Amino acid sequence: MTDGITAMNNMANGVLNAKIEGLGTTGDGVFYHDGKTYFLPNTLPGETVSFRFTGDTPELIEIIETSNSRVTPPCTLFDECGGCSVQHMTLPALLEWKADRITRLLDSVFVNPPAPEQYQTPPRTRRRMDLAIQRVTGGVHIGLHARAGDPIDMTACDVLVPELFELLTPLRDVLSGIGAITGRADLQINLLDTGPDLTLSTPAPLTTADRTKLAIFAREHTIRRIAWTPLGKREIETVAQSRAPYIRFGSAEVTPPPAAFLQASKESEKAIQDAVLAGLPALNKKDIIVELYAGCGTLTLPMSDKGRVIAYEGDAEAAASLRTASGGRRIDAHMRDLVRQPLLPHDLKTARVVVLDPPYTGAGPQIEPLARSAVRDIIYVSCNPAALKKDLQTLHKAGFELISSTVVDQFLWSTEIETVLVLSRDPKRIKRENSRRNRSAPSHSDS
Ligand SMILES: C[S@@+](CC[C@H](N)C(=O)[O-])C[C@H]1O[C@@H](n2cnc3c(N)ncnc32)[C@H](O)[C@@H]1O
């Protein structure tokens, strides 16, 4: 037995027992044996299991003691389709696990950080999905890329918003007749305020007949836009458009480019926007908010009611769509690659606050100049705890403390974690926040 962990060797036939001690970043149960860490899919913290090694890989035989957090996965395709790695866990327990992971991360960077607020998007609210299309005898299957091997046809889904799930049936029909789908293809679906927005990527070019079929499909299903790209390339062509599709951010209507980045659900988008707006320092309308990685304006447009936003985004089309929607508002939208050309401390001189929402890899070369700048307040929206930790360490070294954080579970039944962090190195704000926390902490006499 090692590491104080239970890995109880017992019986004949190489059968061993182990206690699951945690959940790994991909959702597999973690146990320790002979000084090594092992992962067992479909097991949960606190469970006692029996397993056997095949080579160096443990294989689950039986769950001997079941966790209270275990439930029967609601979806009939769980374990097959490649999504939802932890549907055998209750949603409250999963949110608690996510919050705990962020708590431990924050504890490793800050001294006595405040506990995170928590938000979880409801089931069947996912409005953005990248789907794999596979030609099969007699038609196509539509499923997830995440699955190893061919996609499983998505005949059930507790994640996707019903309007998009219901569209899969007619989509199978029309895509079966598309000649350009000669093998594996790709379909990005975004649900905008004007309805579904589709981007199809195919291995062969669309024929004239394909284009006609897609245009008829768009008309019959009131889909405002269908775009097309050659598989693996970025040249996007609109093949059907009745009117400009749009999504509302704040009071503005934005027409995003095809396959644009959107937060996973309308509900989680609001939770993120609310956490960002609540975390802004007191501003007057002339104050400058510098926003990095602005996308099409999810945060930009609501923030422009609070101050003047100077927004930077690396994708030219996203930046252009934000610029078009910004007309008449206090927003300057710029296309800029912040890896190749990060903003330097002197570019940030006028910023009252910086809001950043970087991609999965984190802020990379942008974080050092941000830390060296004179900016006092930062709001960091993160979709990757590992990248976040690295960036927070740099910011903490430069004097930033954590004012508050919010964990947003927007990818249900997965281990993905979105977090909004409010940071400051303004001594007055830090002091105010500490006093507020001390006042609201339960005193000993309350207990
Ligand atoms: C997580 S998304 C956030 C977008 C937006 N804040 C939102 O909530 O919709 C990250 C954004 O960073 C942009 N991005 C990725 N790499 C970049 C780079 N090197 N420079 C600037 N922007 C980049 C992506 O195009 C994407 O819009």
Side-chain angles (χ1 to χ4, degrees):
M1 214 171 304
T2 55
D3 303 338
I5 303 305
T6 331
M8 295 158 292
N9 187 359
N10 51 10
M11 320 156 208
N13 307 327
V15 177
L16 297 163
N17 288 358
K19 179 113 173 176
I20 302 298
E21 299 292 336
L23 208 59
T25 51
T26 56
D28 294 345
V30 178
F31 73 94
Y32 306 95
H33 177 65
D34 273 350
K36 285 194 192 160
T37 305
Y38 293 94
F39 297 92
L40 265 181
N42 294 339
T43 61
L44 293 176
E47 294 188 325
T48 304
V49 298
S50 62
F51 69 97
R52 182 186 283 123
F53 280 112
T54 302
D56 203 27
T57 308
E59 302 208 333
L60 182 66
I61 299 172
E62 190 190 354
I63 298 172
I64 298 166
E65 264 177 54
T66 305
S67 160
N68 289 339
S69 305
R70 180 171 285 281
V71 281
T72 304
C75 180
T76 49
L77 295 182
F78 172 65
D79 219 16
E80 278 186 78
C81 84
C84 297
S85 55
V86 275
Q87 234 187 31
H88 52 302
M89 192 174 191
T90 64
L91 284 174
L94 184 58
L95 180 59
E96 201 180 306
W97 175 79
K98 293 188 182 192
D100 184 57
R101 202 168 152 215
I102 294 301
T103 301
R104 279 185 282 121
L105 184 162
L106 296 175
D107 280 340
S108 73
V109 178
F110 301 100
V111 178
N112 193 19
E117 303 282 324
Q118 302 174 19
Y119 174 81
Q120 191 167 50
T121 199
R124 289 174 224 101
T125 55
R126 177 87 167 265
R127 59 154 180 207
R128 178 168 199 272
M129 213 173 252
D130 185 5
L131 295 163
I133 315 288
Q134 179 69 45
R135 185 161 287 292
V136 293
T137 313
V140 296
H141 282 172
I142 304 182
L144 293 181
H145 290 283
R147 189 189 138 80
D150 288 345
I152 287 280
D153 205 23
M154 201 190 256
T155 49
C157 185
D158 282 288
V159 167
L160 206 52
V161 71
E163 183 176 350
L164 293 185
F165 179 71
E166 281 154 22
L167 192 65
L168 297 183
T169 303
L171 266 169
R172 279 186 199 94
D173 286 344
V174 67
L175 295 179
S176 298
I178 298 296
I181 302 178
T182 48
R184 181 73 79 88
D186 189 285
L187 179 69
Q188 170 76 50
I189 308 190
N190 276 350
L191 184 60
L192 306 181
D193 289 333
T194 47
D197 190 40
L198 308 184
T199 304
L200 178 66
S201 306
T202 59
L206 289 179
T207 62
T208 308
D210 290 341
R211 287 166 188 269
T212 306
K213 285 175 191 161
L214 290 172
I216 293 170
F217 179 80
R219 201 171 55 236
E220 285 176 347
H221 294 274
T222 26
I223 291 171
R224 288 199 177 193
R225 177 173 67 186
I226 301 181
W228 172 78
T229 64
L231 196 63
K233 302 220 170 101
R234 281 187 58 83
E235 307 131 31
I236 297 189
E237 193 189 318
T238 300
V239 291
Q241 178 164 326
S242 50
R243 283 187 292 156
Y246 66 78
I247 183 165
R248 269 186 218 94
F249 295 135
S251 59
E253 290 173 0
V254 182
T255 296
F261 176 90
L262 299 180
Q263 299 296 346
S265 75
K266 193 95 192 142
E267 291 76 2
S268 59
E269 174 186 279
K270 179 158 184 337
I272 294 169
Q273 289 167 333
D274 288 351
V276 169
L277 292 176
L280 289 171
L283 297 173
N284 71 51
K285 296 219 165 169
K286 285 195 185 137
D287 280 333
I288 290 178
I289 303 167
V290 169
E291 187 193 2
L292 312 176
Y293 316 96
C296 302
T298 307
L299 305 174
T300 326
L301 287 144
M303 288 194 303
S304 68
D305 288 338
K306 307 278 178 191
R308 173 163 210 93
V309 188
I310 305 184
Y312 295 90
E313 162 58 39
D315 181 273
E317 291 188 45
S321 70
L322 172 56
R323 203 172 303 120
T324 307
S326 302
R329 292 181 169 78
R330 289 166 303 156
I331 295 173
D332 299 319
H334 303 277
M335 187 257 157
R336 180 156 168 160
D337 184 328
L338 298 168
V339 168
R340 290 191 189 171
Q341 210 191 349
L343 292 185
L344 299 176
H346 73 262
D347 299 318
L348 295 166
K349 256 196 335 226
T350 55
R352 173 64 191 84
V353 51
V354 169
V355 176
L356 70 160
D357 183 3
Y360 197 74
T361 45
Q366 180 58 76
I367 206 74
E368 282 287 346
L370 178 56
R372 279 191 283 109
S373 75
V375 168
R376 281 184 304 170
D377 294 280
I378 290 179
I379 302 181
Y380 190 132
V381 184
S382 156
C383 58
N384 175 3
L388 172 66
K389 182 170 175 178
K390 201 160 157 270
D391 289 346
L392 283 185
Q393 283 166 333
T394 306
L395 294 175
H396 184 50
K397 263 193 216 139
F400 283 94
E401 295 295 343
L402 184 71
I403 299 292
S404 66
S405 63
T406 308
V407 167
V408 177
D409 182 10
Q410 62 171 347
F411 293 102
L412 281 194
W413 293 304
S414 85
T415 53
E416 303 291 329
I417 312 178
E418 192 84 13
T419 318
V420 180
L421 301 110
V422 180
L423 303 153
S424 181
R425 57 182 163 190
D426 173 352
K428 284 192 194 146
R429 190 174 185 196
I430 295 170
K431 196 167 162 206
R432 248 193 340 268
E433 186 52 31
N434 285 341
S435 322
R436 197 194 59 73
R437 275 174 66 198
N438 290 339
R439 276 199 310 277
S440 56
S443 71
H444 290 302
S445 57
D446 292 339
S447 57

